[in-house]
Amino acid sequence: QVQLVESGGGLVQAGGSLRLSCAASGSILRINAMGWYRQAPGKQRELVATISSGVSTNYADSVKGRFTISRDNAKNTVYLQMVSLKPEDTAVYYCNVRTTNRKYMDYNNWGQGTQVTVSS
């Protein structure tokens, strides 16, 4: 099993910044892609940003230029630096980590979610 612990959410005014973290632990041989998704009330979960094991990144158009995803492989951690936050960024943010265990089985793991609220 893989455990994901998210942190860094909170309440911030428009224009402010937050940094989310997600640390993975457990039965992990290798961490593959990592990413962040979000779900606003009444909406479907959507991709925010992903980062591959080779550190290539992909962003939703709505966050390009404002959000930066990064990873620390030594700490099995993925980060999401968010600046110039807007009220429409308000959502529950979920980390997603794709892992391979010692039996060479692949898993798609989700964090518990962390609330980000941006006030206008």
Side-chain angles (χ1 to χ4, degrees), residues 38 48 59 63 65-68 80-83 85 89 93:
R38 67 186 181 187
V48 176
Y59 295 93
V63 306
R66 300 187 299 120
F67 291 10
T68 303
L80 185 69
Q81 178 68 51
M82 306 182 291
V83 302
L85 282 161
D89 294 318
Y93 284 69

Side-chain angles (χ1 to χ4, degrees), residues 23-105:
S25 62
S27 181
I28 300 171
L29 173 65
R30 181 175 63 244
I31 291 182
N32 305 309
M34 309 177 86
W36 290 92
Y37 293 72
R38 67 186 181 187
Q39 187 167 17
K43 295 187 177 181
Q44 291 189 334
R45 189 173 298 188
E46 64 176 3
L47 180 147
V48 176
T50 61
I51 183 167
S52 72
S53 57
V55 299
S56 63
T57 57
N58 179 53
Y59 295 93
D61 288 343
S62 59
V63 306
K64 283 181 180 177
R66 300 187 299 120
F67 291 10
T68 303
I69 189 170
S70 61
R71 60 191 286 169
D72 184 334
N73 292 328
K75 296 181 179 180
N76 288 349
T77 300
V78 60
Y79 304 96
L80 185 69
Q81 178 68 51
M82 306 182 291
V83 302
S84 301
L85 282 161
K86 304 175 180 179
E88 51 263 44
D89 294 318
T90 295
V92 178
Y93 284 69
Y94 298 90
C95 70
N96 174 262
V97 178
R98 297 176 184 265
T99 60
T100 302
N101 69 9
R102 299 182 191 282
K103 295 182 179 180
Y104 296 96
M105 297 177 66

